[in-house]
Amino acid sequence: MTPRTGYMHIQDDPAQPRYIYSKRNLWSGVLFGVGLAAFIDETIFHQLLHWHHFYDLSTTAVGLVSDGFFHAFSWFATIASLFLFADLRRRKGLWLTRWWGGVLLGAGIFQLYDGLVQHKLMGIHQIRYDVELAPYDWTWNIIAVVMIIVGSILLWRTRRRT
Amino acid sequence: MEHGWGHGGSSASTAIELICTLLYASVLIGYTLMARLSSQHYKSWPLYRYICWYAGCTCSVVVIIGPFAAAAHSDFRIHMIGHLLLGMLGPLLIVLSAPATLLLRSLPISQARRLSHVLRSRYAALICHPVVAAILNTGGLWLLYTTPLYTWMHQYTAVNLLVHLHIALAGYVFTISMLYVDPVAHRYSHVYRAIVAVIAAALHGMLAKYLYVHPPAGVSTGQAEAGAQWMYYGGDLVQLIIIGLFCYEWYRVTRPRQINVKTALDA
């Protein structure tokens, strides 16, 4: 039975829900990634390890604005992304590979922004105090870059082929 | 200097305590009566709404009278917890108990129509606008904690009352601008409300961190730091609940009515 649409496999059919919702998969992933990275930052580094401090006295006014905005945005992003995920599931449009690509990209970008702009440029807080910072900063930012690269690859591989 | 009505036996302070207690009792009883009576004609009023109303009113009243209120005058941390209860958690619980819906179904028709008219009025539309409500709420907080208003509040009973009233009302209109539980005449899109909510939450967090190092006059460093963190994380918690309910409403409203999934195997 030759398929009438002329595609080899059903998963290549652009009418598949996952293609229709490819943008929603991307945004749900990215928002979740940002929220997850911010959440891990908050729970592990601020609360559990007490490495980060609530307020570093070298914080500038613009740093306070950036921190406040990202803190507020990340909570919203986490919850909204989970409801988007649930919505995708009930519409049978979830594309996990693409979603994970978004997660890695979002988390990586947030972590890089945090590592470069917030820690260094704005001086909101450092990764840890009373230690040699360089290895921490390098590890933090390299992990972020790796996540961005892997995430981008996944997203490229799940892009629309029209 | 008379620091409010928690201690000191001035007749004004006892009068205020009495009025607040009576008010508290009557709104509790009134809500219960209306809910029970109207449940005989309409759908049974859900239990959780009773509980939300009781809890919300209790949150609000303990901040105004009683030992908690007295402690709030000298301890910035208690003051901040009080703010969270009166301005955030209390309003949230009250909104969830749907008091306007209850009134509309309990009042005689002519009065219900009048109430509906008031709720749709331009004044109501103005203060319940997400941006206006956010300004009243967050702006009010910035004013309170960065100007002498904080000191006046602890010196003059009238200022104290006004500030408490504003915090409660501003918290209430902000919550109803986000969560459409009671009937809403002027609705705004999810995206619009979300953007306003994030900006308001950001400003709230910024204020908390600012107060960490620049507390209001007369507050010790230890109390300032603890109070600021209460504001930051306590505010986070209530905001999280509001965001969750907000997104859940979106999820319900955008439910696909009919899943039409065409695949290659269909005609």
Side-chain angles (χ1 to χ4, degrees):
Chain A
M1 263 297 251
T2 42
R4 302 210 200 148
T5 53
Y7 291 95
M8 286 294 291
H9 305 286
I10 189 172
Q11 54 262 36
D12 292 333
D13 181 6
Q16 280 285 304
R18 50 166 50 177
Y19 288 99
I20 297 170
Y21 295 113
S22 85
K23 245 177 41 180
R24 188 166 287 198
N25 274 285
L26 171 65
W27 279 110
S28 173
V30 167
L31 287 176
F32 186 74
V34 171
L36 185 68
F39 179 74
I40 291 178
D41 193 54
E42 187 69 48
T43 22
I44 296 188
F45 292 100
H46 278 270
Q47 299 304 330
L48 289 177
L49 294 174
H50 284 293
W51 284 7
H52 289 7
H53 291 177
F54 188 75
Y55 186 103
D56 190 325
L57 286 170
S58 66
T59 303
T60 58
V62 83
L64 202 62
V65 173
S66 170
D67 177 76
F69 179 76
F70 271 99
H71 184 82
F73 180 73
S74 67
W75 276 129
F76 182 81
T78 314
I79 299 191
S81 66
L82 289 174
F83 277 95
L84 280 172
F85 188 91
D87 184 59
L88 282 165
R89 281 195 60 210
R90 70 177 169 186
R91 294 170 186 269
K92 316 268 188 273
L94 184 65
W95 194 353
L96 274 179
T97 313
R98 187 160 179 81
W99 190 78
W100 276 111
V103 173
L104 287 169
L105 187 68
I109 289 180
F110 178 84
Q111 188 152 319
L112 196 63
Y113 175 81
D114 199 35
L116 293 180
V117 180
Q118 294 204 142
H119 290 177
K120 297 292 147 198
L121 211 63
M122 298 182 182
I124 297 175
H125 53 251
Q126 301 303 324
I127 298 177
R128 192 175 183 180
Y129 292 87
D130 305 320
V131 292
E132 178 67 44
L133 271 178
Y136 287 95
D137 285 332
W138 276 105
T139 317
W140 185 278
N141 291 315
I142 287 178
I143 290 179
V145 171
V146 166
M147 286 201 285
I148 292 177
I149 292 175
V150 175
S152 305
I153 292 175
L154 289 178
L155 288 175
W156 187 80
R157 286 176 53 153
T158 55
R159 72 192 186 284
R160 302 199 71 159
R161 287 143 208 254
T162 44
Chain B
M1 159 175 341
E2 179 62 36
H3 273 239
W5 42 83
H7 29 270
S10 87
S11 53
S13 56
T14 13
I16 291 170
E17 288 217 343
L18 204 58
I19 294 174
C20 285
T21 319
L22 281 175
L23 221 59
Y24 173 65
S26 38
V27 295
L28 252 61
I29 296 172
Y31 185 97
T32 315
L33 274 176
M34 282 197 289
R36 303 297 308 136
L37 288 174
S38 61
S39 292
Q40 292 172 357
H41 302 290
Y42 300 107
K43 213 166 69 168
S44 182
W45 195 253
L47 177 65
Y48 82 88
R49 287 192 189 158
Y50 291 91
I51 298 176
C52 283
W53 178 258
Y54 300 153
C57 292
T58 309
C59 279
S60 311
V61 85
V62 297
V63 178
I64 312 182
I65 57 176
F68 188 91
H73 280 276
S74 45
D75 193 336
F76 186 63
R77 294 165 301 185
I78 307 272
H79 168 94
M80 206 34 95
I81 296 175
H83 153 69
L84 285 171
L85 289 175
L86 183 67
M88 297 190 81
L89 187 57
L92 174 61
L93 290 166
I94 288 174
V95 166
L96 292 177
S97 72
T101 308
L102 180 61
L103 270 175
L104 285 171
R105 77 179 208 166
S106 308
L107 291 172
I109 302 253
S110 57
Q111 289 181 28
R113 282 216 188 99
R114 256 189 280 165
L115 174 64
S116 178
H117 192 69
V118 166
L119 291 175
R120 301 177 68 95
S121 71
R122 293 186 37 182
Y123 175 70
L126 180 68
I127 57 168
C128 297
H129 187 283
V131 173
V132 175
I135 291 174
L136 285 172
N137 221 358
T138 325
L141 284 178
W142 273 92
L143 263 180
L144 177 63
Y145 293 119
T146 59
T147 67
L149 188 56
Y150 183 78
T151 322
W152 296 340
M153 179 183 154
H154 293 278
Q155 286 178 347
Y156 305 108
T157 311
V159 178
N160 197 311
L161 269 174
L162 274 174
V163 168
H164 278 116
L165 198 62
H166 177 90
I167 294 282
L169 291 175
Y172 181 71
V173 298
F174 183 69
T175 313
I176 58 176
S177 77
M178 291 293 149
L179 298 177
Y180 295 161
V181 176
D182 277 327
V184 176
H186 308 94
R187 309 181 88 103
Y188 298 89
S189 71
H190 282 96
V191 174
Y192 190 91
R193 284 182 275 160
I195 292 174
V196 175
V198 168
I199 295 176
L203 289 166
H204 187 270
M206 283 182 235
L207 178 61
K209 290 211 165 172
Y210 179 78
L211 289 180
Y212 191 79
V213 279
H214 301 106
V219 177
S220 70
T221 319
Q223 286 188 9
E225 295 183 353
Q229 293 190 58
W230 266 106
M231 183 177 183
Y232 194 76
Y233 293 114
D236 272 358
L237 186 61
V238 180
Q239 274 154 198
L240 227 69
I241 299 174
I242 293 180
I243 292 171
L245 293 170
F246 174 81
C247 289
Y248 180 64
E249 190 231 340
W250 170 85
Y251 183 76
R252 273 205 354 232
V253 163
T254 59
R255 172 176 65 89
R257 298 306 190 264
Q258 191 190 4
I259 299 182
N260 258 324
V261 177
K262 224 169 66 84
T263 69
L265 296 179
D266 292 340

